[in-house]
């Protein structure tokens, strides 16, 4: 009974957070001092590189013959994830933690290799070579994979002892979970409408 009550309270707290508007970097409380743990720093550092790859491949849409609906999707991804990258950089800077260069981690390097949802070099190459409907299909397939990886990272944060407790980290992680869950559902519907390889448009 005690276990059920704890779980219920946890879900209430999470649902409350998901209904709160996303913070901008300027609005976030990034006060220095105690209240965060190594797991929070790991999450922020990793998610910067994770978001950077999403921004990278979204930027290919206009030059790779993407459909208007994919271009609109990628524009939303770029704006939203660049804002969150700025927020995470500010969080790290204000705590005197190292800030990774997003451009250095947008592709696949050894530090990114085992991060959930990250595209491999082979996947990046295949997407970069695709055009038109083939690009749309691969982009949606890979971005769904990528988003699911971000959700795994959020779950890992909240499963880490003491992590995700300070206000900006909790709010950011909760918003990432909500936004990317919604986008996965949208992209799955979009993918179902893309003509199969070799099929009629």
């Amino acid at each position: 009974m005690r276990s059920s009550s704890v779980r219920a309270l946890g879900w209430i707290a999470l649902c409350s957070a998901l209904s709160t508007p996303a913070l901008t970097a300027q609005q976030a409380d990034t006060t220095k001092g105690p209240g965060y743990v190594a797991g929070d720093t790991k999450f922020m550092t990793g998610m910067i590189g994770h978001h950077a790859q999403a921004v990278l491949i979204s930027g290919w849409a206009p030059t790779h013959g993407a459909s208007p609906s994919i271009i609109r999707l990628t524009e939303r991804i770029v704006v939203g994830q660049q804002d969150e990258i700025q927020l995470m950089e500010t969080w790290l800077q204000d705590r005197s933690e190292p800030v990774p260069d997003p451009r250095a981690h947008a592709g696949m390097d050894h530090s990114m290799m085992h991060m959930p949802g990250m595209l491999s070099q082979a996947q990046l190459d295949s997407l970069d070579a695709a055009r038109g409907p083939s690009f749309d299909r691969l982009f949606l397939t890979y971005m769904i994979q990528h988003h699911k990886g971000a959700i795994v990272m959020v779950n890992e944060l909240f499963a880490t002892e003491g992590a995700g407790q300070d206000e900006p980290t909790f709010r950011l992680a909760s918003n990432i979970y909500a936004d990317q869950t919604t986008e996965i559902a949208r992209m799955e519907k979009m993918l179902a409408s893309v003509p199969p390889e070799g099929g009629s448009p």
Side-chain angles (χ1 to χ4, degrees):
M1 187 70 177
R2 178 182 175 84
S3 172
S4 298
S5 299
V6 171
R7 285 197 298 270
L9 288 172
W11 276 111
I12 290 170
L14 179 57
C15 289
S16 175
L18 297 183
S19 65
T20 305
L23 292 178
T24 65
Q26 291 75 21
Q27 292 170 326
D29 175 12
T30 55
T31 305
K32 295 181 181 180
Y36 73 100
V37 298
D40 296 316
T41 304
K42 177 184 177 183
F43 174 78
M44 294 291 186
T45 302
M47 194 61 80
I48 287 174
H50 203 273
H51 274 20
Q53 189 180 76
V55 171
L56 171 70
I57 64 176
S58 294
W60 293 346
T63 59
H64 287 56
S67 64
S69 62
I70 295 294
I71 289 177
R72 287 192 297 271
L73 170 67
T74 58
E75 288 172 346
R76 288 196 298 270
I77 290 173
V78 168
V79 170
Q81 300 209 11
Q82 282 182 335
D83 284 348
E84 288 177 347
I85 287 172
Q86 183 183 358
L87 189 157
M88 291 184 284
E89 289 173 337
T90 301
W91 189 97
L92 291 168
Q93 289 167 354
D94 286 352
R95 289 158 178 80
S96 300
E97 298 285 354
V99 180
D101 180 356
R103 294 168 298 179
H105 296 288
M108 278 301 298
D109 63 18
H110 293 296
S111 65
M112 299 285 110
M113 195 167 295
H114 301 295
M115 190 172 294
M118 288 288 281
L119 274 62
S120 67
Q121 188 60 56
Q123 288 176 320
L124 289 170
D125 291 344
S126 65
L127 181 61
D128 194 16
R131 295 293 185 276
S134 293
F135 178 85
D136 290 355
R137 188 182 309 105
L138 274 182
F139 178 84
L140 291 168
T141 300
Y142 290 160
M143 192 59 80
I144 289 169
Q145 166 192 315
H146 201 267
H147 275 28
K148 287 181 176 179
I151 290 173
V152 170
M153 292 171 68
V154 171
N155 288 335
E156 289 176 346
L157 170 74
F158 288 128
T160 300
E161 183 69 27
Q165 301 301 307
D166 75 312
E167 177 66 16
T169 305
F170 182 83
R171 186 81 62 87
L172 172 68
S174 299
N175 284 327
I176 289 173
Y177 186 98
D179 292 346
Q180 302 216 6
T181 298
T182 300
E183 284 187 346
I184 287 170
R186 182 182 298 120
M187 289 189 291
E188 287 175 339
K189 290 180 180 179
M190 293 172 69
L191 181 58
S193 70
V194 177
E197 192 74 43
S200 300

